[in-house]
Amino acid sequence: MPCWYDGPLAAFDTETTGIDVERDRIVSAALVVQETPRSAPRITRWLINPGVDIPDAATAVHGLTAGHLALHGRWPAPVLEEVARALAAQSVAGRPLVVMNAPFDLTLLERELKRHRASSLNAYLGGHPLRVLDPHVLDKHLDRYRKGRRTLTDLCAHYEVELTDAHEAAADALAALRVVRALGHRFAERLEGLHPAELHTRQAVWYAAQARGLQAWFARSGNPEVVDPHWPLRPELPAAA
């Protein structure tokens, strides 16, 4: 039996109107499924017309304009239904899901499902939990003393993974999937004995520790930003009184 990093993997990514998971919207999403490192990936893409303005700063990142989305995008509700069902299918199949910086993409998806479907990702999973592999969390834990940034572009350079058309959802998802395979091989002695379900649980612990470290660094530098320690989903903010 191959190790999990040489077996079936899926990867998910989104492009959005901004970086606020509570208020911003998904404008594109992609799911990539690959059975082995040599298999051709199967790619599903979604384009959403969110019905709100697309900030120039967001367009500068992913290239999607309000005009383009009005012509080629679909309304959010049916697309989000398809996305949630597609992720649930990966869970039912037992296929680990690679998500770079999972608390952003999965939390934003969760908020969009509530906004447009009055539902949640967990409702679609139907008792089949996701087994998320987050290359950012894994890399930061396994190679914690390496200097430098750890964006997807940086991880691709470090693990010698080709990234073309960065900030296109399918390209980013496929690159993140390949980073996880490369990371698995590089740290095989530490990872091959861990099942993805166990890795999912451990990443939640590792991420919380990483968040505490970042929060302490912010405090020392006088930065008031608060770091949420939850992974892979951030809890919903309490409603204003």
Side-chain angles (χ1 to χ4, degrees):
M1 291 290 292
C3 294
W4 59 263
Y5 45 79
D6 282 331
L9 293 176
F12 177 68
D13 189 70
T14 66
E15 297 298 331
T16 68
T17 60
I19 59 173
D20 186 337
V21 297
E22 303 299 335
R23 295 180 176 83
D24 280 308
R25 309 298 177 89
I26 296 172
V27 295
S28 70
L31 178 68
V32 175
V33 178
Q34 188 185 44
E35 300 304 327
T36 72
R38 294 180 177 82
S39 301
R42 304 191 300 275
I43 299 174
T44 304
R45 293 178 173 88
W46 295 273
L47 201 60
I48 297 176
N49 177 6
V52 300
D53 290 337
I54 312 299
D56 291 342
T59 297
V61 172
H62 50 59
L64 297 171
T65 65
H68 179 82
L69 294 169
L71 285 173
H72 304 287
R74 297 162 57 203
W75 289 114
V79 177
L80 292 164
E81 174 84 9
E82 291 175 14
V83 170
R85 289 185 179 277
L87 296 191
Q90 306 314 307
S91 180
V92 170
R95 198 176 284 117
L97 183 69
V98 175
V99 189
M100 175 73 182
N101 191 19
F104 176 77
D105 291 85
L106 294 183
T107 303
L108 187 50
L109 174 61
E110 178 83 354
R111 302 301 187 262
E112 287 278 63
L113 286 170
K114 180 180 180 182
R115 183 178 293 123
H116 295 288
R117 303 297 309 180
S119 189
S120 67
L121 183 56
N122 191 56
Y124 285 91
L125 295 177
H128 298 276
L130 288 174
R131 295 172 176 85
V132 177
L133 300 172
D134 188 332
H136 184 266
V137 176
L138 291 169
D139 174 72
K140 197 170 184 179
H141 176 79
L142 295 166
D143 198 1
R144 67 183 68 184
Y145 300 114
R146 189 177 81 249
K147 302 293 185 182
R149 290 156 47 89
R150 298 177 193 251
T151 66
L152 179 59
T153 299
D154 298 317
L155 294 187
C156 286
H158 182 70
Y159 289 101
E160 300 180 343
V161 169
E162 182 180 7
L163 173 58
T164 58
D165 201 11
H167 299 296
E168 190 276 323
D172 285 358
L174 180 58
L177 186 153
R178 288 172 170 162
V179 164
V180 165
R181 292 200 189 279
L183 188 151
H185 280 277
R186 185 167 300 187
F187 297 100
E189 290 186 0
R190 299 166 65 182
L191 291 176
E192 63 184 358
L194 296 174
H195 188 273
E198 185 177 3
L199 262 179
H200 178 105
T201 300
R202 293 195 181 197
Q203 284 171 101
V205 176
W206 297 342
Y207 183 85
Q210 293 164 10
R212 288 194 298 271
L214 181 58
Q215 190 72 77
W217 186 82
F218 281 162
R220 291 193 299 271
S221 60
N223 188 331
E225 184 176 347
V226 176
V227 183
D228 193 312
H230 296 90
W231 181 98
L233 273 173
R234 297 175 190 170
E236 190 171 3
L237 294 176

